[in-house]
Every structure is written in C-alpha cells, then in structure tokens.
Amino acid sequence: MDKMTASDAKQNFGQALERASVGPIGIERHGKLVAALVPAEWLDKANLLDDRRIARDQQQQVEQRRLMAHQRIAIDLLSHEETKKQLLEAARGQVRRWAEQGLCSQDYIDRWTEWLSLPDVELVDRMCSDAGGWGRAMRQNSPFAVAPR
C-alpha cells in the first residue's frame, strides 16, 4: 500500500485524492498507520456485499418464520383431531385449486398431493424438515394458510 504522512496528505490533499483513486493510500502519523484513503469503487463493492448479507439474513428470517408456522401446524395436526381434519381438508382443497386453475408449478402440486396423503407423522416430518432439499421450497409454496409473522 502506498503511504504518505498526515502532514503531506493535509498539505497536498488533491494529490492524495488523485493517488487514492488508483489504489489505497495509507496515512501515517508519527510513523503509525492511522487512516487510509481508498478508491470510491471499493466502498461500492463493500456496500454491495453488505446489501447481499442483509438480504440473505432477511431471507433466512423469512424461512425461519415459515418453518415455525409449519411447526405450529404440525402440532395441531398431531394433537387436535378436529383441527387436523379442517387443516388437511383446506390444504387438499388449495392444491386442487392450484391444479384446476394452473396457479402453481406442477412439481409443487404433485409433491403436496403426495405429502397430504401420507400418515400424519410422515407429513409433519416432511413439512418441518429439509425433505431431500425440498423443504424450504415446499414451505414457501404451502397449501396451508400460513402467513409468516
């Protein structure tokens, strides 16, 4: 990294900016590096990386809420017989509607049709797990009335 003293940077700021547009310039005071001037595009790249990290974190939070919502549904499926009947009837009706009106990819229609015909414990396991790499996508395209909070 190119370096200059704090005094030189202060007295020749235009030159420091010009040099920093090409690469980073370390600013030293009393022989110690105290600051750096970097090309502006470096900040754009850093901000882009921050934006990607934030977007990834937000997406993980959405997926976590979807998983938790399906876990609450799973509890109802396994512990409340009347609620289970209502949930399964509504979910099967939703999948039929997707198929009739072409509202969803056939992959999801086929997979949810299969899942909804499984015994309760197996259905719960599938919808609350990775499900062979399909778990996240299936929770995103769920026939259960799920609104992530």
Side-chain angles (χ1 to χ4, degrees), residues 73 93 147:
I73 291 167

Side-chain angles (χ1 to χ4, degrees), residues 18-81:
E18 191 173 309
R19 287 169 57 189
S21 69
V22 178
I25 305 293
I27 308 296
E28 295 181 334
R29 182 180 292 149
H30 305 295
K32 292 185 178 182
L33 186 66
V34 295
L37 294 175
V38 297
E41 65 264 10
W42 285 27
L43 295 177
D44 291 340
K45 288 177 186 173
N47 288 338
L48 179 61
L49 293 175
D50 282 346
D51 291 347
R52 287 180 183 160
R53 181 188 51 76
I54 290 167
R56 185 182 61 245
D57 290 348
Q58 289 172 338
Q59 184 58 41
Q60 287 174 342
Q61 290 172 1
V62 168
E63 169 53 25
Q64 186 66 32
R65 288 192 298 271
R66 285 185 185 129
L67 175 58
M68 290 169 59
H70 280 82
Q71 289 169 336
R72 286 190 295 272
I73 291 167
I75 290 168
D76 286 339
L77 289 172
L78 295 175
S79 60
H80 300 68
E81 192 62 33

Side-chain angles (χ1 to χ4, degrees), residues 27 52 62 79 98 114 121 124-125 138 141:
I27 308 296
R52 287 180 183 160
V62 168
S79 60
W98 290 347
E114 174 194 338
V121 174
V124 163
D125 180 58
M138 296 295 282
N141 296 290

